[in-house]
């Protein structure tokens, strides 16, 4: 069976769109359509039905997914066995410091279970240095702060939600069900953590927009110190969601709704080079590892 047909099928399954699958594979939409039609001819069955601009799997299409995955996996494994290069390099992850500390240890546990034979390195650094290393093909994929821009030589995709939260000690007089004004928040002693991993200008803009000066009691450059100060009631603070996930789940900290003041939605993005695309098995393992990481967080929160 034609490997290109299988690859096109799995990309359409993932993106639920011929057009988006074509963009991801750097092909024209007619090429993707032709490959899907070729696969359907070989299988003598319809795999997708169109719904507006998107597509939906047929019942037979859903049944075919595990077989397609197995054939792709077998193809990749046989290709690796036949290519006996002595200089083949390891797979390399890159991440900014916060992502490396609070996400990768959990995420990589799932990834390693899916890719037990893959050797990999982890490189940590600032967002800009990570992106430059990806451009030079020194890193296969880097996880960095949301960029808000597109670059010709890089593929940038959302990876995990890392919105900024206002967090307080659970006994703090702020209620998680109320919406407080910027003036009210500014009167509270603030633990202000600032580093290059996130767009902290958003926090400053809250107070600038309301012409009020915040009461910054502690300025710290270490995340654990910032969390410890808030846990020990030294003040309240704005911290990234992934960094305080454990404390929110355990009840050591509580988040306060400030969405009415500013859009604090931020993403950790996966960045890879256009000239160094990930193999389909690696990409699927990455996506599945993210899903398991998020599901585990939800299960812990439920308890």
């Amino acid at each position: 069976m034609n490997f290109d047909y299988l690859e096109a099928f799995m990309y359409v399954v993932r993106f639920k769109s011929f057009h988006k699958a074509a963009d991801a594979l750097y092909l024209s939409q007619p090429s993707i359509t032709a490959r899907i039609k070729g696969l359907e001819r070989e299988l003598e069955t319809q795999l997708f039905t169109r719904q507006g601009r998107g597509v939906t799997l047929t019942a037979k299409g859903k049944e075919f997914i595990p077989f397609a995955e197995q054939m792709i996996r077998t193809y990749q494994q046989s290709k690796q066995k036949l290519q006996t290069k002595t200089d083949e390099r390891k797979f390399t992850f890159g991440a900014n410091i916060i992502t490396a500390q609070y996400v990768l240890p959990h995420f990589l546990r799932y990834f390693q279970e899916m890719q037990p034979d893959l050797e990999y390195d982890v490189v940590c650094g600032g967002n800009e240095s990570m992106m430059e290393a990806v451009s030079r093909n020194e890193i296969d994929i880097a996880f960095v702060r949301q960029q808000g821009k597109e670059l010709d030589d890089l593929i940038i995709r959302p990876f995990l939600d890392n919105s900024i939260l206002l967090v307080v000690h659970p006994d703090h007089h702020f209620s998680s069900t109320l919406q407080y004004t910027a003036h009210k928040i500014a009167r509270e002693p603030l633990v202000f953590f600032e580093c290059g991993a996130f767009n902290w200008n958003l926090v400053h803009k809250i107070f600038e927009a309301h012409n009020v000066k915040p009461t910054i009691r502690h300025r710290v450059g270490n995340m654990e110190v910032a969390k410890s100060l808030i846990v020990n009631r030294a003040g309240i603070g704005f911290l990234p969601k992934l960094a305080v996930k454990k404390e929110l789940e355990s009840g050591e900290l509580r988040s306060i709704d400030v969405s009415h003041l500013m859009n604090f939605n931020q993403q950790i993005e996966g960045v890879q080079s256009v000239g160094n695309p990930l193999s389909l098995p690696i990409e699927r393992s990455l996506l599945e590892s993210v899903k398991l990481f998020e599901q585990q967080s939800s299960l812990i929160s439920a308890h």
Side-chain angles (χ1 to χ4, degrees), residues 64 192 212 228 251:
F64 184 63
F192 203 85
V212 61
S228 181

Side-chain angles (χ1 to χ4, degrees), residues 109-240:
R109 174 167 66 89
Y110 300 118
F111 181 81
Q112 190 172 30
E113 290 174 355
M114 298 176 201
Q115 297 289 337
D117 298 326
L118 181 69
E119 294 185 23
Y120 57 82
D121 293 328
V122 177
V123 180
C124 304
N127 291 290
E128 293 301 323
S129 65
M130 291 295 96
M131 294 180 69
E132 289 173 3
V134 171
S135 295
R136 296 192 299 266
N137 292 332
E138 296 171 0
I139 291 175
D140 293 286
I141 185 167
F143 303 121
V144 300
R145 167 174 53 86
Q146 184 172 338
Q147 297 302 300
K149 59 184 177 181
E150 295 183 1
L151 300 172
D152 292 339
D153 62 333
L154 298 178
I155 302 169
I156 303 176
R157 296 173 181 168
F159 183 68
L160 280 171
D161 176 26
N162 199 25
S163 301
I164 298 175
L165 304 177
L166 175 60
V167 293
V168 303
H169 185 276
D171 292 337
H172 192 275
H173 63 86
F174 275 10
S175 167
S176 59
T177 60
L178 298 179
Q179 294 184 333
Y180 293 94
T181 65
H183 290 78
K184 182 76 171 178
I185 295 170
R187 288 196 291 270
E188 295 293 320
L190 282 176
V191 176
F192 203 85
F193 168 75
E194 189 166 12
C195 77
F198 299 93
N199 183 8
W200 295 108
N201 287 330
L202 290 175
V203 177
H204 290 289
K205 285 179 181 177
I206 285 183
F207 303 110
E208 290 175 0
H210 293 83
N211 196 28
V212 61
K213 184 177 180 180
T215 308
I216 299 177
R217 187 67 53 82
H218 306 278
R219 290 183 183 270
V220 295
N222 181 279
M223 178 66 70
E224 291 303 312
V225 172
K227 289 195 293 185
S228 181
L229 285 167
I230 299 172
V231 167
N232 286 283
R233 312 184 193 200
I236 65 177
F238 292 88
L239 298 177

Side-chain angles (χ1 to χ4, degrees), residues 257-276:
D257 181 18
V258 289
S259 59
H260 57 293
L261 297 176
M262 184 69 69
N263 178 8
F264 281 111
N265 295 331
Q266 292 193 127
Q267 293 283 326
I268 294 294
E269 294 182 326
V271 180
Q272 61 190 85
S273 171
V274 170
N276 184 31

